[in-house]
Amino acid sequence: MHQQFKGVFSGVLLSLLGAGGALAQGTAGESAFGPGEQASYRVHYLGMTAGSAQVTVGAPMRQWGKDVWPIVSLAKSDAMAGVWPVKDKYVTYWDFNSQRVLGSDMHEDQNHKRRRVRVKLSDDGRSAQVVKQKEGEAPTEKNLEVLEGALDVTGATFALRNRVLEVGKEYAYPVFTGSKNFVMKAKVEAKETLTTAQGRQEVLRLRVYTEFSGNLASKRDMVAWLTADARHLPVRIEAELALGAVVAELQDYKQGKVVTPAPAVTAKKGI
């Protein structure tokens, strides 16, 4: 149960988070999200409440010489008998002006064992410097090729939120996980009404294809429900992984600042 919960919970975190490839509704439109936005989720594993996840768009900051919005994702397990404590933090550095991901920092704390992974994408978006370090050990560094314009899973999710989503259409983004490249695909299947913690809402149901492996491998495509308004906020995510069924549901939401991209930004098309 220890290893199962650790793997599954990390998988849900990736899903909520879970790339500079595709962009947005257009330079004239407002971003679907902005600094100050915060969404809190309850995570259920095998029908039991297992923990929580919180995704926050932080205040603008400087990273690697550029202005970015840090998108901070926190995952924490509940105090459950027989389960290792999990407290993970993942930060994606989103360059709003160019609508791309510059890199990320992951701070993993599972059963009191800590690990850090930093990914820095090159300026041309074709390679990444990956630094990994376990607590008490020396860091290791690799330079890996990535799909051109690659995002991480968080960046892909937030880029998707900025798109004009139409029923029947499929959207695709190149993703780099820190060790693997794949193309994340999301098809909008239908418009529905869903009962949520915020009441009944008009939502879009999306089928999401990923290529996670091992304990995070999916038995079927992930399904996500996003609000049908301009926010495209994820309110429910379902995944049937190799180790069991996982559901994440939105519990609380705070809207962030409304921001319009600078006129100089040129929108790009998805794959």
Side-chain angles (χ1 to χ4, degrees):
M1 179 69 171
H2 290 164
Q3 288 284 4
Q4 287 183 346
F5 180 77
K6 183 177 82 168
V8 169
F9 199 78
S10 298
V12 172
L13 175 61
L14 287 172
S15 302
L16 286 171
L17 297 181
L23 189 76
Q25 301 173 7
T27 56
E30 295 174 347
S31 176
F33 56 92
E37 182 184 76
Q38 187 172 88
S40 300
Y41 298 83
R42 293 300 296 167
V43 180
H44 305 272
Y45 172 49
L46 297 177
M48 301 181 296
T49 300
S52 61
Q54 185 179 83
V55 184
T56 303
V57 182
M61 59 174 283
R62 297 282 290 180
Q63 178 70 329
W64 297 310
K66 296 183 179 180
D67 294 324
V68 299
W69 295 351
I71 302 175
V72 183
S73 300
L74 303 173
K76 184 178 180 181
S77 62
D78 284 352
M80 298 170 59
V83 172
W84 282 349
V86 174
K87 188 177 182 180
D88 291 347
K89 177 180 180 181
Y90 189 93
V91 184
T92 290
Y93 300 108
W94 175 261
D95 184 343
F96 174 69
N97 289 319
S98 65
Q99 297 286 299
R100 65 185 292 259
V101 169
L102 299 185
S104 62
D105 278 311
M106 182 182 75
H107 302 269
E108 187 179 83
D109 185 345
Q110 299 180 355
N111 196 30
H112 308 298
K113 294 181 180 179
R114 297 177 176 86
R115 184 172 74 107
R116 179 180 177 181
V117 179
R118 165 165 280 189
V119 176
K120 183 179 183 296
L121 294 168
S122 62
D123 289 341
D124 64 9
R126 297 181 179 180
S127 64
Q129 178 190 60
V130 181
V131 180
K132 299 181 179 181
Q133 183 175 23
K134 293 182 179 179
E135 189 174 39
E137 298 182 9
T140 61
E141 181 178 326
K142 291 183 179 180
N143 286 288
L144 302 174
E145 291 185 0
V146 302
L147 297 173
E148 186 174 359
L151 305 160
D152 57 12
V153 178
T154 304
T157 302
F158 275 76
L160 181 65
R161 290 181 59 189
N162 261 344
R163 297 295 295 269
V164 176
L165 301 179
E166 298 181 27
V167 174
K169 288 195 174 182
E170 183 177 90
Y171 305 84
Y173 297 89
V175 168
F176 178 62
T177 66
S179 59
K180 179 179 180 178
N181 289 284
F182 68 87
V183 176
M184 187 182 89
K185 300 177 182 178
K187 183 174 182 178
V188 184
E189 293 187 323
K191 187 175 184 179
E192 303 175 339
T193 300
L194 186 69
T195 300
T196 72
Q198 284 71 44
R200 290 177 65 81
Q201 297 193 55
E202 292 288 312
V203 296
L204 298 171
R205 186 183 75 234
L206 285 76
R207 188 163 299 275
V208 183
Y209 169 79
T210 64
E211 291 184 12
F212 294 122
S213 57
N215 290 340
L216 302 185
S218 297
K219 291 185 177 180
R220 59 181 176 85
D221 294 339
M222 185 183 306
V223 181
W225 286 263
L226 277 58
T227 57
D229 58 19
R231 299 172 302 163
H232 292 156
L233 177 70
V235 294
R236 182 181 175 89
I237 295 174
E238 294 181 0
E240 188 173 341
L241 306 179
L243 294 177
V246 184
V247 177
E249 295 181 298
L250 181 70
Q251 295 299 303
D252 192 31
Y253 174 74
K254 177 183 177 183
Q255 186 167 337
K257 182 180 179 182
V258 176
V259 181
T260 301
V265 177
T266 301
K268 302 176 183 178
K269 296 181 180 180
I271 292 178

